[in-house]
Amino acid sequence: MSTKDFIEKDYYKVLGVPKDATEAEIKKAYRKLAREFHPDANKGNARAEERFKEISEANDVLGDPKKRKEYDEARALFGNGGFRPGPGAGGGSFNFDLSDLFGGQGQGAGGFGGGLGDVFGGLFNRGGTGATRTQPRRGQDVESEVTLSFTEAIEGATVPLRMSSQAPCTACSGTGDKNGTPRVCPTCVGTGQVARGSGGGFSLTDPCPDCKGRGLIAENPCEVCKGSGRAKSSRTMQVRIPAGVSDGQRIRLRGKGAPGERGGPAGDLYVVVHVKDHPVFGRKGDNLTVTVPVTYAEAALGGEIRVPTLGGPPVTLKLPAGTPNGRTMRARGKGAVRKDGTRGDLLVTVEVSVPRDLSGKARDALEAYREATAGEDPRAELFQAAKGA
């Protein structure tokens, strides 16, 4: 990501959310757009593919609280192409951590390592222009999708995942030159970046237009990768999906994305999980849900009922006498796996079953019951409440 992109791209606009959007709102907007513009749903549509990349890039920044803070501070400080002090400028201070600006903090998932120090590399022309060392480049992040059964999502599963990404070209060993002898770019002196003036005594950096940010130029471009040093690679990985994932959840697997260049680290793999429905069980957060039919006699007189569990033996619950239709009981520890390894509960909702056909004996018993309760009107309070309203 270039400095120009980091400062000038409005990621909030890309996702269609306000600047004060919550993490949940950002996540919801990303999921909606990612589904709409995903390459699998828009095969051959180059504009949709480009839009998907923009959406993913915006989410990588705004979806990470630390990167979002850096992004907001950077745009506040340099948003107009020059130096703009923060609200505390009158007292000579800024709402900005200068240690982040100059200090390295490791490689981030969005492709700008070392915090703002690397994003604004060359801001004060630090490091000089005489450097000839080509820089390692981090591999791209890769996004994929996987569909799990309800049980796999609750218990966890290892699934094969086939992905395509950019990797070092095997024909030229990633050099971009068919003879394997590229030369250092004379324009950027191997750094992959060129400085541009922004006024006010500052200089910002952009990817070198001659070497496209690689720092190297192929004298004899490789016929496979056309001198880029990168080629499309497909591979199948065994990916472990943790227990307790929910539908639509986005999982980040560090270092499982596209390989880096010149010793650079690999990117990250983001897996969007889709979960199939279960014919019996549902889910409510960390709890599972199930509806269990009971007879009128069981609901009225009480008793014990057996309830199925997901992947385990049935449990027996005590049904109190006079249990109304729709009452929910709880079987503790029979739900989904939480992040700390404990389990949620199984919420059991009682549904009184009314028989369609009655035997003669059963009908006689119900007729006797109706006669015994003839003086009771279960709707009396309902009419009283209606009159008083």
Side-chain angles (χ1 to χ4, degrees):
M1 178 185 300
S2 70
T3 300
K4 185 174 186 291
D5 285 347
F6 192 79
I7 294 177
E8 296 183 1
K9 278 190 177 180
D10 188 344
Y11 292 131
Y12 292 100
K13 185 176 181 180
V14 171
L15 294 183
V17 296
K19 290 182 173 59
D20 58 353
T22 64
E23 289 185 32
E25 290 172 334
I26 290 173
K27 187 176 183 180
K28 181 179 180 181
Y30 165 73
R31 287 178 178 173
K32 179 181 178 182
L33 293 171
R35 287 178 184 272
E36 180 180 353
F37 293 99
H38 196 280
D40 290 345
N42 298 272
K43 295 187 182 299
N45 189 334
R47 176 64 191 122
E49 183 176 354
E50 186 63 28
R51 180 80 171 107
F52 181 76
K53 291 179 180 178
E54 293 176 354
I55 295 164
S56 298
E57 182 180 301
N59 183 65
D60 283 341
V61 175
L62 300 186
D64 185 315
K66 184 174 180 292
K67 289 181 190 173
R68 182 181 179 183
K69 180 175 180 291
E70 291 179 347
Y71 172 70
D72 290 341
E73 289 175 341
R75 282 176 62 83
L77 190 61
F78 300 98
N80 291 331
F83 186 87
R84 292 200 294 114
S93 63
F94 319 93
N95 292 327
F96 193 85
D97 187 350
L98 291 180
S99 65
D100 286 344
L101 182 62
F102 294 105
Q105 298 175 0
Q107 186 72 42
F112 38 91
L116 286 176
D118 284 347
V119 174
F120 293 106
L123 181 64
F124 297 97
N125 289 326
R126 61 186 173 96
T129 58
T132 58
R133 182 173 63 90
T134 56
Q135 301 295 318
R137 294 183 68 189
R138 180 181 181 276
Q140 291 182 333
D141 292 337
V142 178
E143 181 151 336
S144 187
E145 295 181 291
V146 65
T147 299
L148 303 179
S149 69
F150 189 89
T151 302
E152 287 175 329
I154 298 300
E155 302 296 338
T158 299
V159 297
L161 193 63
R162 184 172 180 80
M163 9 178 252
S164 297
S165 64
Q166 293 293 318
C169 176
T170 55
C172 63
S173 300
T175 63
D177 190 288
K178 63 182 178 181
N179 297 325
T181 55
R183 64 185 177 91
V184 174
C185 175
T187 304
C188 64
V189 201
T191 65
Q193 297 178 327
V194 292
R196 64 181 175 89
S198 62
F202 293 94
S203 71
L204 305 178
T205 59
D206 285 328
C208 176
D210 292 334
C211 66
K212 305 298 187 293
R214 295 191 66 231
L216 299 172
I217 291 181
E219 294 285 1
N220 300 288
C222 170
E223 295 177 356
V224 176
C225 66
K226 310 303 180 185
S228 69
R230 310 288 283 181
K232 182 168 285 190
S233 172
S234 296
R235 54 183 172 141
T236 300
M237 300 176 53
Q238 295 295 320
V239 176
R240 179 63 187 175
I241 305 298
V245 294
S246 56
D247 184 55
Q249 186 171 340
R250 189 170 182 255
I251 301 172
R252 177 185 179 186
L253 301 175
R254 294 180 182 272
K256 299 299 183 181
E261 288 187 75
R262 298 186 293 277
D268 297 333
L269 170 63
Y270 291 88
V271 181
V272 178
V273 179
H274 303 291
V275 181
K276 296 179 181 178
D277 292 332
H278 194 280
V280 173
F281 297 97
R283 185 170 180 181
K284 194 173 184 180
D286 294 329
N287 299 322
L288 298 184
T289 62
V290 64
T291 299
V292 177
V294 298
T295 65
Y296 176 77
E298 288 174 323
L301 301 177
E304 292 185 344
I305 59 173
R306 295 176 73 243
V307 177
T309 62
L310 183 68
V315 295
T316 300
L317 297 180
K318 185 176 181 180
L319 196 67
T323 297
N325 184 61
R327 178 175 179 177
T328 298
M329 300 182 293
R330 187 181 298 266
R332 298 194 178 278
K334 300 300 180 180
V337 179
R338 300 188 180 102
K339 290 183 179 180
D340 61 2
T342 62
R343 283 183 174 268
D345 301 330
L346 175 64
L347 305 180
V348 181
T349 301
V350 171
E351 184 179 74
V352 177
S353 177
V354 178
R356 293 183 178 180
D357 299 313
L358 292 172
S359 64
K361 187 176 181 180
R363 179 176 292 278
D364 292 341
L366 281 178
E367 290 289 354
Y369 172 78
R370 180 158 60 181
E371 290 179 8
T373 58
E376 300 178 9
D377 185 359
R379 292 172 289 279
E381 292 184 3
L382 177 68
F383 283 98
Q384 289 178 0
K387 290 180 180 179

